[in-house]
Amino acid sequence: MNNALIASAGLSLLFLLSCSPATDKGAETAALQPTGDFHTDSFVMDSHVHVMSRQLLEGTDFGDRYEDGHVDLPRTIEGGVDAMFFSIYTPEPYYPNRHDVKNTLRLVELARQQIEKNNDKIDLARTVTDIERITSEGKVAAFMDLEGPFDLDGDLLVLAGLYRLGLRSFQLTAHNFTSNIVDSCCDVSKWGGLNERGRAVVKEANRLGMIINVAHGSEETIQQTVELSEDPVIYTHGGFRHFVDIPRCISDEAAKAIAAKGGVISIQWGSTFNNPKYFDWKHKGIPIVYDISKKLGKYADMTIDKIDAEERSRLPFVFKGTIPDEYWMGADQLAKVVDYGVQLVGEDHIGLGSDFDGGPPLPREIKDISDYPEMTKALQRLGYGEVRIRKILGLNLLRVIREVTEK
């Protein structure tokens, strides 16, 4: 594993952050040859990696190697990933009968148990100081993150309780569902962005020192959250509408707003968001109509055990189809998406949020998290220099975490 968040990480970070965003790639330090050694020596942090669904529904151990799926602890170490947003996920079927809080609490507790069980290789991080300590010990730093609602009603005491349990990042929306506090990207609009309770959640997150994740938010949700928040916000995983023009991807205007507030836009690794040829082939020109609420009726009377069984049948949450060669994206296409973001908002505001085990059709060179170095090589082939790549691989995220959690 990469042991490379060195003891002098604080000084290195200050040096890197003092470098102004490069506007000319040729003016940077000459790009390294794509050997993979540079990846091992870099601090690598992914802002969106799905965990704990398999452990909850199958009763398995994150420390074991799986024969399928994208993520487990052994493969994380092999991929040179030093830290990750340990993203626990409550999907929409748990919402109609209000199993949302229960499932979130189950997953948070299980995450803590799994981290404690494998504490020789992974540890829970709440701050950058924790991340530096954990990685200097040769362990993976798990920065706990939530995808899906902490509570559909936005109860501030539930959020504060999760903070006490170690949660330091959460998705403001209820995944693709418009909750009782905020509009998502992929459902009907009820609030025109945030309602009064949604605004209170943003303020409470600022008070607690929690990172607000605006991925899956509507355009209005993202813009209003950025304007209201005293802290930078992050968009943990998605593509740009410049490549695939759907509401789930981020607009240039929203990305610029996030960057102007000091935040980070992390690029998800799937063809659906980043490869227009794949998207057009897969959807065959049929317009996508979003109205998630109408699709959840069958779950209204389901017990949580029945929902668990249905979700278990879908595991692992990975793309299971086949892609013809002409529609299959390589890592170089993904690097071009990263470069678009760099040219749009600057190298200090772009990161990587793979969405491993969250369903993306991955680039052809990347089968799972152990292939993370392929992304570094693609950035090197693009001509990026050492300083820029290190920022994208993890130092940009580290800056935001420090600013929000250690203020």
Side-chain angles (χ1 to χ4, degrees):
M1 175 202 157
N2 175 2
N3 295 327
L5 192 53
I6 40 299
S8 60
L11 292 174
S12 297
L13 181 61
L14 287 173
F15 167 73
L16 288 169
L17 294 179
S18 69
C19 300
S20 60
T23 57
D24 179 2
K25 283 178 273 184
E28 293 186 341
T29 304
L32 301 179
Q33 293 302 309
T35 63
D37 293 338
F38 172 66
H39 179 87
T40 303
D41 292 336
S42 298
F43 171 72
V44 179
M45 186 174 197
D46 191 301
S47 65
H48 195 72
V49 178
H50 280 253
V51 294
M52 295 304 108
S53 292
R54 301 193 72 169
Q55 289 70 38
L56 174 69
L57 299 174
E58 295 180 334
T60 52
D61 187 343
F62 186 68
D64 293 338
R65 182 184 297 274
Y66 297 95
E67 295 182 357
D68 55 10
H70 298 153
V71 180
D72 51 47
L73 189 51
R75 286 183 287 176
T76 298
I77 293 169
E78 290 171 8
V81 177
D82 297 285
M84 66 173 74
F85 278 55
F86 213 62
S87 299
I88 55 180
Y89 169 49
T90 295
E92 282 83 352
Y94 291 95
Y95 305 172
N97 211 26
R98 294 310 306 265
H99 299 307
D100 47 302
V101 176
K102 179 176 180 178
N103 193 61
T104 294
L105 288 171
R106 292 193 301 176
L107 289 166
V108 168
E109 174 58 22
L110 184 60
R112 291 182 61 102
Q113 290 179 10
Q114 289 275 300
I115 291 167
E116 290 167 4
K117 184 176 182 180
N118 294 283
N119 192 245
D120 59 327
K121 296 183 177 68
I122 190 169
D123 205 352
L124 179 64
R126 298 172 178 84
T127 64
V128 169
T129 300
D130 288 342
I131 294 171
E132 291 174 344
R133 171 185 56 79
I134 292 164
T135 56
S136 71
E137 295 170 355
K139 300 179 184 180
V140 175
F143 187 75
M144 197 150 51
D145 171 57
L146 179 66
E147 180 167 40
F150 66 88
D151 170 53
L152 288 171
D153 297 322
D155 191 308
L156 302 184
L157 287 175
V158 174
L159 185 63
L162 290 168
Y163 177 88
R164 288 184 182 272
L165 291 173
L167 191 76
R168 290 296 182 271
S169 175
F170 71 100
Q171 185 175 278
L172 187 59
T173 67
H175 200 238
N176 289 324
F177 179 83
T178 289
S179 70
N180 295 329
I181 66 169
V182 60
D183 290 338
S184 87
C185 60
C186 303
D187 200 0
V188 295
S189 174
K190 290 183 180 179
W191 315 114
L194 303 170
N195 64 16
E196 183 177 353
R197 176 47 66 95
R199 291 190 289 272
V201 168
V202 172
K203 290 294 187 182
E204 179 67 357
N206 289 166
R207 185 189 73 82
L208 291 168
M210 298 183 76
I211 292 175
I212 299 171
N213 169 12
V214 293
H216 291 261
S218 69
E219 180 74 13
E220 295 80 10
T221 292
I222 295 173
Q223 295 277 12
Q224 291 170 21
T225 302
V226 171
E227 182 178 1
L228 179 63
S229 178
E230 297 173 359
D231 296 328
V233 306
I234 60 174
Y235 182 89
T236 57
H237 61 297
F240 286 102
R241 292 184 192 174
H242 172 83
F243 293 92
V244 177
D245 189 10
I246 56 175
R248 175 60 185 86
C249 291
I250 194 167
S251 70
D252 286 2
E253 294 74 21
K256 289 177 181 178
I258 291 171
K261 202 69 172 276
V264 171
I265 301 97
S266 287
I267 306 305
Q268 194 246 33
W269 289 18
S271 283
T272 306
F273 297 158
N274 300 300
N275 182 4
K277 289 182 180 179
Y278 170 87
F279 185 86
D280 292 343
W281 165 73
K282 189 70 175 177
H283 295 281
K284 299 178 174 60
I286 300 172
I288 297 177
V289 178
Y290 294 109
D291 192 350
I292 301 299
S293 303
K294 289 184 178 179
K295 300 178 181 179
L296 298 178
K298 72 173 185 175
Y299 299 104
D301 297 320
M302 267 197 192
T303 66
I304 196 167
D305 290 339
K306 287 185 177 179
I307 296 171
D308 284 349
E310 183 167 309
E311 292 298 300
R312 186 181 305 116
S313 70
R314 297 173 51 226
L315 290 170
F317 296 148
V318 297
F319 177 76
K320 300 178 176 72
T322 57
I323 305 173
D325 286 344
E326 62 266 36
Y327 304 117
W328 198 0
M329 177 181 71
D332 287 337
Q333 168 65 19
L334 191 56
K336 291 178 182 177
V337 176
V338 170
D339 185 59
Y340 179 83
V342 168
Q343 302 309 317
L344 181 70
V345 301
E347 65 186 29
D348 296 315
H349 304 288
I350 296 295
L352 301 175
S354 63
D355 207 3
F356 283 133
D357 269 353
L362 295 173
R364 62 171 60 89
E365 302 94 331
I366 300 172
K367 65 182 183 302
D368 57 39
I369 198 169
S370 69
D371 292 320
Y372 220 103
E374 295 300 323
M375 194 62 228
T376 301
K377 295 176 186 178
L379 294 174
Q380 291 174 314
R381 288 194 295 270
L382 198 61
Y384 277 14
E386 178 178 337
V387 170
R388 179 175 283 181
I389 294 176
R390 289 186 192 277
K391 289 179 179 182
I392 294 166
L393 286 178
L395 291 179
N396 287 338
L397 290 170
L398 211 59
R399 171 182 54 79
V400 174
I401 294 170
R402 188 187 298 279
E403 185 169 344
V404 175
T405 66
E406 298 186 2
K407 58 185 177 182

